[in-house]
Structure formats: C-alpha cells, structure tokens
Amino acid sequence: MIEVKNVCAGYGRNQVLHDVNFVAEQGKITVIIGSNGSGKSTLLKALLGLVPVNGGNITVEGAAVNEMTRAELAKKIAYLPQGKNIADISAGRMVLHGRFPYLKYPRKYREEDYRIAEEAMKQMGISSFAGKQMAELSGGMRQKVYIAMALAQQTPVIVMDEPTTYLDIGQQLKFSGLIKQLSESRKTVILVLHDILLALKISDKIAAMKDGKIFRCGTPEEMLASDIFYTLYGVKVKAVQTDAGMQYYYEFADTE
Ligand code: ADP
C-alpha cells in the first residue's frame, strides 16, 4: 500500500504537485490518468524518491519513502519506466537485474538470485527465451521480461509508466490479464495510462490528475458516472454490458 498525504513536489522553483492526496491499496490496480503535463510522471517520481518532496509525506507499507535508502526503496517498489532503451543483454540477464537491490558487495548473484529469477520467468511464461537478446524480442515479449524483472525484485508494489505504449492490440489484451494476475497475488499495482478505455476495464480505482492535483478519484463506475472524461479530454465515455463483461466506447459530444 502507498499513501500520499498533502504532497507538494517539483523541480527547483517549478512546483508541479500541489497538495496531492492519493492511496493505492494492496491487491488493487490503481490507474493514474490525465492530459500531458498534468503531473503524472512527477507523481511517480515522487513515489520513487526521485524528486524532492517539499511538503506532506509518502509512505510505502507504512514506512516513509524519504527515510529509505535507494536499496531499501527498491525492495518495496519495482518501477517500469516509460519507453525503455533496449539493453544489449539477454532476457535472462535482464530478469536477474531485479535482484540487484539484494546484492551485497561484491555484487555477485547468488544461487538464490538465479532461482528467484528463473521462477519469475516461469511465472511469465518466458523461460524458453531466457537466452535471447532483448533486441530480438517483440514488444510484448520484452514487456513480459520487464514484468518478470519486477517480480524477481520481490516488491509489494509495482509501478508502471505507460506500459502498453509499444504493444499491439492482442498484446494489450494479454497484458490486462497479466496485470490482474499481479493484483490477485496481493501486489499493489499502480499504472499510468493514456488509454481511458483500458483504464476503465482493468482498474479498481482511477485517479485523474489536472494541473498537478488529483482532480477526481474513484472506481471506474464512479468516474463513468461523472463528467470527468469530458472535462479532461472533451469526450464522453459510454458503457455497455456484453457477454464478455462491460465494454467501453467513446462518444464524441458533437455527434449526439
Ligand atoms: P505528465 O507525466 O502528466 O505528462 P509531468 O509530470 O511529466 O506530466 O510534467 C508536469 C510538469 O512538470 C510539466 O509542466 C513539465 O514541464 C514539468 N517537468 C517535468 N519534468 C521536469 C524536469 N525534469 N524539470 C523541470 N520541469 C519538469
């Protein structure tokens, strides 16, 4: 669980987050949405202790983020940044990197680290291409490697910034399943998504940001019942019950 209380943060004199309050619960998928420049990435950076917090406080599993060392925090939160550069290493090696916070000097992987990395690969169904170079893999497979790396990190919280950007539609659907799996295994999952329809479909809670503040926060149903998507993006979102569960679609205001 992550709790953000009255947080103000930013870059030097450029204050970006203003009195942000936000809770991401264990075993739940919390999605952050908002237009470009609304402060989503800055909020993630604040969670990770990467931007200074000048007011309020952030706790992860009850411990203050600003009192933790990098390694301590890396044992609590696994972070998958946006648009990663593709490392020139094998998938197996990439997953092993998740064990880095646990290594003591001289930073040599132990038997246990190899075992945990292998388990994470098995869980993601990627054991068979552990020897393949990252650059050889499709976007979807690479995403699975990153998630396996996050699993090997054995953190209670996983944070992903725009994880579906490089995935085709089939891979996006599979990705939703993987994310559900993570929350069902009691992880706290926080995602930044541009895709509102995906956010509605997979989240337990949506936090909508505007001008460095949480503008509105609620369940998908609550958000759908409000005018938030029109306020933020000028679109209306409708829901329809189907055999495959609730489906969402856009309805542009001027077509009504
Ligand atoms: P989002 O992720 O919602 O697009 P960001 O958190 O990236 O928004 O940006 C919010 C604001 O913070 C923007 O006005 C942006 O210009 C500013 N900002 C982002 N990164 C930096 C930085 N490294 N230094 C100074 N200002 C920044």
Side-chain angles (χ1 to χ4, degrees), residues 10-12 14-17 33-45 51 82 161 192 194 209 212:
Y11 310 88
N14 183 12
Q15 192 77 355
V16 174
L17 301 182
I33 63 164
S35 48
N36 289 333
S38 59
K40 304 181 296 294
S41 301
T42 306
L43 175 56
L44 293 193
K45 285 187 214 162
V51 292
Q82 198 178 358
D161 197 355
V192 166
H194 266 302
M209 291 195 75

Side-chain angles (χ1 to χ4, degrees), residues 178-227:
L178 294 176
I179 295 299
K180 291 253 186 237
Q181 225 175 291
L182 292 181
S183 70
E184 280 159 13
S185 67
R186 304 295 298 144
K187 302 248 187 214
T188 303
V189 181
I190 300 175
L191 309 174
V192 166
L193 290 180
H194 266 302
D195 185 339
I196 306 167
L197 304 184
L198 182 64
L200 284 164
K201 215 165 160 45
I202 69 172
S203 68
D204 294 294
K205 192 167 81 177
I206 299 176
M209 291 195 75
K210 188 171 190 282
D211 303 330
K213 294 188 178 129
I214 303 284
F215 186 67
R216 194 157 298 154
C217 190
T219 62
E221 293 74 24
E222 286 165 349
M223 298 299 263
L224 202 60
S226 77
D227 58 357

Side-chain angles (χ1 to χ4, degrees), residues 21-200:
N21 288 285
F22 170 80
V23 177
E25 286 168 51
Q26 187 183 12
K28 302 273 187 222
I29 301 168
T30 303
V31 173
I32 303 169
I33 63 164
S35 48
N36 289 333
S38 59
K40 304 181 296 294
S41 301
T42 306
L43 175 56
L44 293 193
K45 285 187 214 162
L47 301 181
L48 296 154
L50 300 176
V51 292
V53 168
N54 350 306
N57 59 70
I58 303 176
T59 56
V60 50
E61 310 295 296
V65 162
N66 63 1
E67 286 167 13
M68 279 184 232
T69 63
R70 284 250 147 274
E72 279 167 354
L73 194 55
K75 288 176 192 168
K76 300 277 187 204
I77 307 178
Y79 174 52
L80 276 70
Q82 198 178 358
K84 267 175 154 291
N85 293 329
I86 302 168
D88 189 19
I89 55 173
S90 70
R93 209 69 202 166
M94 192 80 218
V95 176
L96 258 177
H97 279 190
R99 299 302 301 158
F100 208 71
Y102 296 90
L103 302 185
K104 299 201 174 66
Y105 190 79
R107 305 218 178 277
K108 237 174 133 318
Y109 292 116
R110 304 151 301 172
E111 200 58 42
E112 182 190 358
D113 300 311
Y114 288 104
R115 182 178 51 74
I116 292 169
E118 270 167 34
E119 272 168 23
M121 280 189 276
K122 208 183 280 173
Q123 202 178 329
M124 293 311 296
I126 57 169
S127 306
S128 62
F129 53 86
K132 281 218 166 42
Q133 288 297 107
M134 288 298 282
E136 289 177 69
L137 303 177
S138 70
M141 281 179 169
R142 227 178 276 135
Q143 195 61 267
K144 284 189 183 177
V145 176
Y146 295 134
I147 297 175
M149 179 171 73
L151 289 176
Q153 209 172 318
Q154 293 189 317
T155 56
V157 183
I158 296 190
V159 175
M160 303 186 195
D161 197 355
E162 285 294 340
T164 56
T165 309
Y166 300 104
L167 304 185
D168 63 36
I169 193 68
Q171 289 166 340
Q172 280 188 24
L173 289 175
K174 285 188 194 140
F175 173 80
S176 311
L178 294 176
I179 295 299
K180 291 253 186 237
Q181 225 175 291
L182 292 181
S183 70
E184 280 159 13
S185 67
R186 304 295 298 144
K187 302 248 187 214
T188 303
V189 181
I190 300 175
L191 309 174
V192 166
L193 290 180
H194 266 302
D195 185 339
I196 306 167
L197 304 184
L198 182 64
L200 284 164

